[in-house]
Amino acid sequence: MRTQSKDKWVLITGASSGFGAAAARAFGAEGAKLLLGARRVERLEKVAAEARQAGASEAHAHFLDVGQTASVNAFVAWAKERMQVASPGTQALHVLINNAGGAHGLDTVAEGKDEDWEAMMQSNVLGVLRMTRAALPLMPHDAGASIINIGSVASRSAYEGGSAYCGAKAAELLITRSLRLELCGTGIRVSTVDPGLAETEFSLVRFKGDAERAKKPYEGAIPLTAEDVAEILVWVANRPPHVNIDELIVKCTDQAAIHKVHRRK
Ligand code: NDP
Ligand code: 8X3
């Protein structure tokens, strides 16, 4: 077993499904202590139980809406208290995974909806800033701590109907790069993991619950799974403290580029 996550506190936003839930289970299997946030608390409690079953020495769930500063601050205050109760005298957060986010709609700019644009900017952009600002005081210097943001191949390639999502993930990429400059000298590592096509609830959310439409992006291809991405997150966090994985792009073999996906008949 790799040991760098064992008994270390790992905070994951958007842990109620997809990458975040898989990351909770994967870090749990490493013996980590988990602080999990999302809006669907029932789902989150289930993920926490799965993570404990996988081997997490602690797994706690709490409501979090990264789109609201008050919710982020309340979540971090709760996280700080949980860490103190479980490990008195310490409030050391070893890994912060800013994963909460997603796409809403696939409209062109001409047909775009304010509520979709606002939701994408709130979660993918402002959520990362808010959570990082609130959690940074809990992160130790020179101890191999990591901030891992979940970006996307959409940060690097535009596509029709993707303007707000691509723009949001491009902002995440530049936020990650700025933060790495700001934290240089603290020993806190800053990474972005940028996946391509991955089958989670991402498309169901993008297409507002239309399950048939949500299947289309994956048809005929073998997409990434949430577990593929979770394994990478554990690997990134477990590099030796002097190693920073700056930017990691991962796509399924069938996706050569954002627009070029091999689909079997
Ligand atoms: P899912 O829809 O399965 O998971 C998204 C998670 O984010 C859920 O747990 C959801 O929880 C949470 N979330 C969304 N908005 C908020 C919010 N305002 N506050 C708190 N939590 C929130 O999709 P993925 O696992 O695929 O997505 C995870 C991340 O990966 C996202 O940032 C997405 O943009 C990115 N990504 C996804 C790719 C894909 O193809 N699947 C590829 C590249 C990047 P809840 O609704 O309970 O709050
Ligand atoms: C999700 C990947 O290509 O649907 O970030 O934008 S894509």
Side-chain angles (χ1 to χ4, degrees):
M1 187 201 268
R2 287 160 296 201
T3 53
Q4 285 194 51
S5 302
K6 187 160 169 50
D7 290 330
K8 300 274 171 58
W9 287 101
V10 177
L11 190 164
I12 306 172
T13 71
S16 60
S17 70
F19 301 161
R25 291 186 290 265
F27 277 99
E30 296 277 307
K33 299 177 183 177
L34 301 170
L35 299 158
L36 309 176
R39 294 163 301 180
R40 290 170 296 173
V41 175
E42 250 178 61
R43 298 264 307 249
L44 210 51
E45 297 282 8
K46 202 166 154 266
V47 173
E50 289 165 358
R52 278 192 295 271
Q53 203 165 22
S57 47
E58 305 262 348
H60 306 281
H62 193 271
F63 175 86
L64 167 67
D65 180 355
V66 297
Q68 307 282 339
T69 299
S71 175
V72 170
N73 292 342
F75 181 87
V76 172
W78 164 83
K80 189 173 167 181
E81 198 186 305
R82 286 298 344 151
M83 289 195 285
Q84 276 169 348
V85 169
S87 334
T90 69
Q91 24 175 281
L93 179 64
H94 196 67
V95 182
L96 166 63
I97 302 186
N98 282 311
N99 163 74
H104 298 272
L106 190 63
D107 292 322
T108 59
V109 174
E111 303 203 326
K113 318 268 184 309
D114 283 289
E115 63 267 28
D116 287 342
W117 293 343
E118 280 161 15
M120 285 185 271
M121 296 301 162
Q122 283 293 347
S123 60
N124 298 290
V125 182
L126 297 176
V128 173
L129 291 167
R130 288 184 183 113
M131 179 52 71
T132 305
R133 177 179 63 191
L136 261 174
L138 305 182
M139 301 190 77
H141 289 197
D142 299 320
S146 296
I147 298 172
I148 309 176
N149 296 330
I150 307 300
S152 168
V153 292
S155 67
R156 300 156 193 273
S157 302
Y159 56 89
E160 301 92 327
S163 58
Y165 183 67
C166 295
K169 289 303 191 186
E172 175 277 335
L173 176 60
L174 272 289
I175 289 166
T176 305
R177 290 176 182 170
S178 299
L179 188 62
R180 193 179 307 114
L181 295 171
E182 291 170 9
L183 294 183
C184 182
T186 65
I188 299 175
R189 298 167 306 167
V190 185
S191 307
T192 182
V193 170
D194 297 353
L197 205 63
E199 195 161 8
T200 60
E201 293 179 20
F202 175 86
S203 291
L204 200 60
V205 173
R206 164 165 262 177
F207 298 121
K208 303 175 196 294
D210 182 339
E212 275 312 301
R213 201 173 168 203
K215 281 191 211 144
K216 292 260 182 253
Y218 316 110
E219 253 170 27
I222 304 174
L224 296 174
T225 65
E227 285 70 28
D228 294 327
V229 174
E231 192 178 345
I232 288 167
L233 296 174
V234 170
W235 181 81
V236 169
N238 278 345
R239 291 310 83 219
H242 68 286
V243 177
N244 191 104
I245 304 299
D246 284 17
E247 299 177 8
L248 191 155
I249 299 173
V250 53
K251 298 192 273 75
C252 65
T253 309
D254 283 338
Q255 185 175 33
I258 210 154
H259 275 105
K260 183 162 176 71
V261 179
H262 172 66
R263 297 184 193 278
R264 288 155 198 83
K265 298 283 173 231

